[in-house]
Structure formats: structure tokens, C-alpha cells
């Protein structure tokens, strides 16, 4: 749990740092664009003064400087309107643009400079240059590209990490199954010796059942990482086996009951692995009661084309902030837990059986309900 909280804190800090970088980038770009806008406004003031100078000049006036200023504007779109809103001159306007409408939009936006010409006036209407418009949009495009890159990089890293974790789990599971094989075989042989030596001993059958149980556990571990072929099997019988197993290994204070339909419910599954999933949910429910009394209800439900198994307990419940993390590898609320049980259960249900497992409901102090959904046998 501490490891999961630490990961969450790191993510929060990373998101906060990304937001600060984005805001700083946008602020700097905004200040730069604002300075360039002021610079273009100053240029248009000079351009308008040059136009005014040309309009009021006589035949003896030297127009070379004013003409150079007017001709020097090759970037800022500008349109000169008469007092009657007629277009008198324009520069840096694309050919397919309606000059009259464009000028009126500039005028409505207030981007104009009034110059007096004898007993009338003219309006110099201007717009931002193409470069300034591109610069205004550039930070957003850049941030968008960076965000896409970051998302792709995070996705790739998570996929790589998940694949690496899967390889570790698969290798560990198969190695565990391999290591269990030899002592289980020896135990089976010793059980046969005990049966022959003490045929009347009532404990030997129970010992034999436990050895068979170990054999099934080793079989489950050996199947992790491969895709076991699901076969038609009864969910009712599977839940009966889980209840029988848990009853013998659970305190009498904990009552485990099954609630099934009157008929057999059959789905395609690998019974050995699926039985382990339900057992794991039941064991977690027992642990949630922390040695006290309680109740575990196993519900088998049929809803349209869905078969659902619900494991409801009266334990301590799960905090709302932790519900989304319960299936994450390494997350546990137990002092000695590894945090791999529910993660493995999710893998078995969703990857091997194409089902869905989730926390249907949980309330601190009241209990938790896990729900598994499977497709009905078609």
C-alpha cells in the first residue's frame, strides 16, 4: 500500500510539473506575441503617417522616404478606406480574399488608424501579419505535440513494464510448480505407505486430500502464462467445492453460504484456475474480518447472456480511494501481503476467460462485494 501511495504521489508531482511547464510556456509566448503586436502597431502608425504625408504633399515635396516606408511593408495586411468605406488602396492581401468585407471586419475589430486628408479623412485598416498569427498558434501546437509524445512514451513504458512483470510472474509460477513437483510426488508415495501401514486411521484420507490439493495448486501455477483451453463446466459445483474447502479451514465464527439457481449453470472455463479465483476472494473476505465473526455469501446470478458470481462479505471494507488500486500488482492492506492475489485473479478472469471482475460495492465497516461476469455457454 505504501508503494502504491508513493507511485500516486510521484504521478501527482509529474502532472503538477507538466502543468507548470505548460503554463510557463504559454505565458512566455503570450508576452512575446504581445510585444510583437505592439511593434506591428508602431509600424502601422509610421505607415499611416507616411500615407498622410503623401496625401498632403505638393509637387515640390520629397516623397522618397515616405514611399520607402510604404513600400517597406511586405508582411502586415493593410487596407485604406475612404470616409464612405470605399477601398482606396491595399497591400499584402491574398487574391481570393474579398477586400471590402475584410476591411469592414478590421474596422469592426477597431484595428484602424484615422488620417486627416484636407476636408475629409481616410481609415488605415490593418490586421496581424501571417507570421504573428502563426506565432500565436505555435505554443498550442507545440504543447499538443509534446503531450501526444508524452502519452505515447508513457503508454510504451507501461506496456513494457507490464510485459516485463508478466514474464517475471510467469517464470516464477512455472518455477514454483516445478519445485513443488518433487516433494508432492514424495508425499503421495508416503501417503500410500501410511494407508497400507495404518488402514484404519481416519486422518490419512484428510492427509491424502491435502496432498491432492497441493497437486492441484502446482497444476494451477504451471498453467499461468499459457492459454488453458476452457471447457463446459458447472459453476454450481465449483462454488460447492470452494465452500467445502473454505469451511474446513475457516473459523466457525465465519459463516459461508451459497445461493444458486435451481438448475445447473454451465460456462466455458478452466475449473482449476477459476476455482482458485473464487477461493482467493473468499480468503480475502476472511482476512477482512480480522479474526472476528462474519458472513460470506456466494451468489450465482443469471442476467440475459451474463453469468455473474458475487462474493459478498461483512468485513472491514475498502476505502473509496483504494478501490481503483485493489487489482494493481503490489497493492495490499495486509501487513504481510504481497499484493499479487487480486492482480492474478484479474488476469485469470479477463485474459484467460474473457470475463470481467471488479468491486461492485464496498463500505468501510460494512463489507465488500466483488463481482465476476462471464458469458453464458452459447
Amino acid at each position: 500500500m505504501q508503494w502504491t501511495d508513493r507511485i500516486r504521489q510521484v504521478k501527482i508531482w509529474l502532472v503538477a510539473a507538466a502543468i507548470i511547464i505548460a503554463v510557463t510556456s504559454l505565458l512566455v509566448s503570450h508576452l512575446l506575441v504581445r510585444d510583437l503586436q505592439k511593434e506591428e502597431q508602431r509600424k502601422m502608425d509610421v505607415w499611416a503617417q507616411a500615407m498622410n504625408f503623401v496625401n498632403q504633399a505638393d509637387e515640390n515635396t520629397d516623397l522618397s522616404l515616405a514611399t520607402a516606408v510604404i513600400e517597406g511593408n511586405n508582411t502586415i495586411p493593410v487596407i485604406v478606406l475612404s470616409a464612405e468605406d470605399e477601398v482606396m488602396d491595399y497591400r499584402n492581401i491574398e487574391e481570393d480574399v474579398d477586400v471590402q468585407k475584410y476591411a469592414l471586419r478590421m474596422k469592426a475589430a477597431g484595428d484602424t488608424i484615422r488620417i486627416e486628408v484636407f476636408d475629409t479623412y481616410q481609415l488605415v485598416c490593418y490586421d496581424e501579419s501571417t507570421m504573428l498569427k502563426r506565432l500565436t498558434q505555435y505554443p498550442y501546437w507545440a504543447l499538443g505535440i509534446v503531450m501526444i509524445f508524452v502519452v505515447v512514451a508513457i503508454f510504451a513504458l507501461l506496456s513494457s513494464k507490464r510485459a516485463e512483470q508478466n514474464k517475471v510472474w510467469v517464470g516464477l509460477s512455472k518455477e514454483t510448480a516445478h519445485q513443488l513437483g518433487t516433494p508432492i510426488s514424495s508425499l503421495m508415495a508416503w501417503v500410500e505407505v501410511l494407508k497400507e501401514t495404518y488402514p484404519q486411521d481416519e486422518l490419512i484420507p484428510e492427509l491424502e486430500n491435502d496432498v491432492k490439493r497441493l497437486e492441484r495448486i502446482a497444476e494451477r501455477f504451471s498453467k499461468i502464462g499459457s492459454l488453458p483451453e476452457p471447457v463446459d463446466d458447472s459453476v454450481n459445483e465449483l462454488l460447492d467445492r470452494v465452500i467445502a474447502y473454505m469451511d474446513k479451514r475457516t473459523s466457525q465464527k465465519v459463516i459461508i453460504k451459497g445461493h444458486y439457481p435451481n438448475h445447473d449453470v454451465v460456462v466455458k472455463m478452466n475449473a482449476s484456475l477459476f476455482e482458485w479465483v473464487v477461493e482467493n476472494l473468499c480468503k480475502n473476505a476472511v482476512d477482512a474480518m480480522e479474526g472476528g465473526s462474519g458472513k460470506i455469501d456466494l451468489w450465482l446470478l443469471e442476467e440475459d447472456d451474463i453469468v455473474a458470481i458475487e462474493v459478498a462479505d461483512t468485513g472491514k471494507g475498502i476505502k473509496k480511494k483504494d478501490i481503483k488500486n485493489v487489482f494493481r500488482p503490489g497493492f495490499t492492506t495486509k501487513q504481510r501481503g504481497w499484493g499479487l492475489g487480486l492482480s492474478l485473479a484479474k488476469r485469470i478472469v479477463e485474459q484467460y476467460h474473457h470475463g470481467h471482475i471488479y468491486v461492485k460495492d464496498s463500505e468501510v465497516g460494512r463489507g465488500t462485494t466483488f463481482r465476476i461476469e462471464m458469458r453464458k455457454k452459447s
Side-chain angles (χ1 to χ4, degrees), residues 347-366:
R347 179 190 179 99
I348 292 171
V349 172
E350 299 189 354
Q351 293 189 24
Y352 294 168
H353 294 87
H354 307 291
H356 186 41
I357 180 171
Y358 59 95
V359 178
K360 179 184 178 183
D361 181 54
S362 186
E363 185 177 347
V364 175
R366 298 290 297 273

Side-chain angles (χ1 to χ4, degrees), residues 41 44-46 48 110-115 122-126:
Q41 288 174 358
M44 291 314 303
D45 286 335
V46 174
D111 298 327
T112 60
I113 299 174
R114 178 172 173 147
I115 55 177
Q122 295 176 351
L123 286 178
V124 176
C125 305
Y126 61 93

Side-chain angles (χ1 to χ4, degrees), residues 14-240:
L14 287 175
V15 171
I19 292 174
I20 292 172
I21 292 172
V23 170
T24 303
S25 176
L26 290 175
L27 181 60
V28 171
S29 299
H30 173 72
L31 295 175
L32 179 60
V33 168
R34 188 185 64 181
D35 292 341
L36 290 175
Q37 285 175 335
K38 290 180 179 179
E39 183 64 26
E40 288 193 352
Q41 288 174 358
R42 285 194 291 268
K43 288 181 179 179
M44 291 314 303
D45 286 335
V46 174
W47 196 90
Q49 292 174 18
M51 281 290 297
N52 191 28
F53 183 78
V54 170
N55 289 334
Q56 295 182 3
D58 55 29
E59 63 274 7
N60 298 319
T61 305
D62 183 6
L63 299 178
S64 58
L65 180 59
T67 304
V69 171
I70 294 172
E71 295 295 331
N73 175 27
N74 297 314
T75 57
I76 303 174
V78 59
I79 303 173
V80 181
L81 292 179
S82 66
E84 292 77 23
D85 288 340
E86 294 180 359
V87 176
M88 301 183 64
D89 191 13
Y90 62 88
R91 292 182 63 83
N92 306 320
I93 307 296
E94 296 179 3
E95 294 181 0
D96 58 343
V97 174
D98 188 324
V99 179
Q100 182 71 38
K101 291 182 179 179
Y102 192 14
L104 293 177
R105 286 202 301 271
M106 294 178 186
K107 181 180 178 180
D111 298 327
T112 60
I113 299 174
R114 178 172 173 147
I115 55 177
E116 302 295 334
V117 182
F118 302 112
D119 57 347
T120 184
Y121 68 90
Q122 295 176 351
L123 286 178
V124 176
C125 305
Y126 61 93
D127 197 5
E128 294 177 345
S129 64
T130 303
M131 183 63 69
L132 184 56
K133 288 180 179 178
R134 290 176 179 172
L135 187 59
T136 303
Q137 298 173 356
Y138 171 77
Y140 300 98
W141 285 102
L143 286 175
I145 293 172
V146 170
M147 289 302 297
I148 292 173
F149 174 79
V150 169
V151 169
V152 171
I154 291 175
F155 179 78
L157 287 172
L158 290 177
S159 298
S160 175
K161 181 180 178 182
R162 193 177 298 113
E164 185 178 348
Q165 287 177 338
N166 287 340
K167 288 180 180 179
V168 172
W169 294 341
V170 169
L172 180 62
S173 299
K174 291 186 177 297
E175 180 63 21
T176 301
H178 176 71
Q179 294 295 333
L180 286 173
T182 302
I184 289 174
S185 299
S186 298
L187 286 172
M188 292 174 67
W190 281 113
V191 167
E192 293 299 322
V193 171
L194 290 173
K195 286 168 66 176
E196 293 179 2
T197 308
Y198 307 100
Q200 305 300 323
D201 196 317
E202 297 179 355
L203 295 179
I204 293 178
E206 290 298 324
L207 180 61
E208 185 177 19
N209 289 335
D210 283 337
V211 173
K212 289 180 179 179
R213 177 75 184 173
L214 282 173
E215 190 176 18
R216 284 202 302 273
I217 291 172
E219 180 189 0
R220 291 170 184 171
F221 276 112
S222 68
K223 290 179 179 178
I224 299 298
S226 58
L227 289 176
E229 187 67 27
V231 296
D232 294 342
D233 211 328
S234 169
V235 184
N236 310 56
E237 294 178 4
L238 182 146
L239 295 181
D240 280 337

Side-chain angles (χ1 to χ4, degrees), residues 202-373:
E202 297 179 355
L203 295 179
I204 293 178
E206 290 298 324
L207 180 61
E208 185 177 19
N209 289 335
D210 283 337
V211 173
K212 289 180 179 179
R213 177 75 184 173
L214 282 173
E215 190 176 18
R216 284 202 302 273
I217 291 172
E219 180 189 0
R220 291 170 184 171
F221 276 112
S222 68
K223 290 179 179 178
I224 299 298
S226 58
L227 289 176
E229 187 67 27
V231 296
D232 294 342
D233 211 328
S234 169
V235 184
N236 310 56
E237 294 178 4
L238 182 146
L239 295 181
D240 280 337
R241 291 196 298 270
V242 172
I243 292 174
Y245 174 76
M246 294 298 299
D247 266 340
K248 293 180 180 179
R249 292 159 179 81
T250 305
S251 167
Q252 296 299 316
K253 297 179 182 179
V254 178
I255 301 173
I256 305 176
K257 286 188 177 181
H259 309 272
Y260 317 145
N262 294 325
H263 58 278
D264 248 5
V265 179
V266 178
V267 299
K268 280 188 173 297
M269 62 179 172
N270 181 282
S272 179
L273 290 178
F274 207 86
E275 187 176 330
W276 180 88
V277 171
V278 181
E279 283 178 14
N280 188 66
L281 294 178
C282 291
K283 289 176 182 177
N284 286 345
V286 173
D287 291 340
M289 295 170 193
E290 299 180 329
S293 59
K295 185 179 179 183
I296 301 174
D297 290 299
L298 275 64
W299 296 88
L300 178 56
L301 310 169
E302 292 182 288
E303 302 170 359
D304 298 328
D305 60 341
I306 295 294
V307 172
I309 301 171
E310 294 185 359
V311 180
D313 66 63
T314 57
K316 62 182 180 180
I318 305 171
K319 297 177 182 178
K320 287 186 176 180
K321 70 180 183 69
D322 292 332
I323 289 179
K324 62 182 180 181
N325 296 318
V326 294
F327 295 105
R328 185 177 297 173
F331 177 85
T332 180
T333 57
K334 306 173 188 176
Q335 291 183 352
R336 298 181 180 180
W338 287 86
L340 295 177
L342 287 176
S343 175
L344 187 56
K346 185 178 181 69
R347 179 190 179 99
I348 292 171
V349 172
E350 299 189 354
Q351 293 189 24
Y352 294 168
H353 294 87
H354 307 291
H356 186 41
I357 180 171
Y358 59 95
V359 178
K360 179 184 178 183
D361 181 54
S362 186
E363 185 177 347
V364 175
R366 298 290 297 273
T368 301
T369 300
F370 281 88
R371 181 179 172 95
I372 302 171
E373 295 179 356

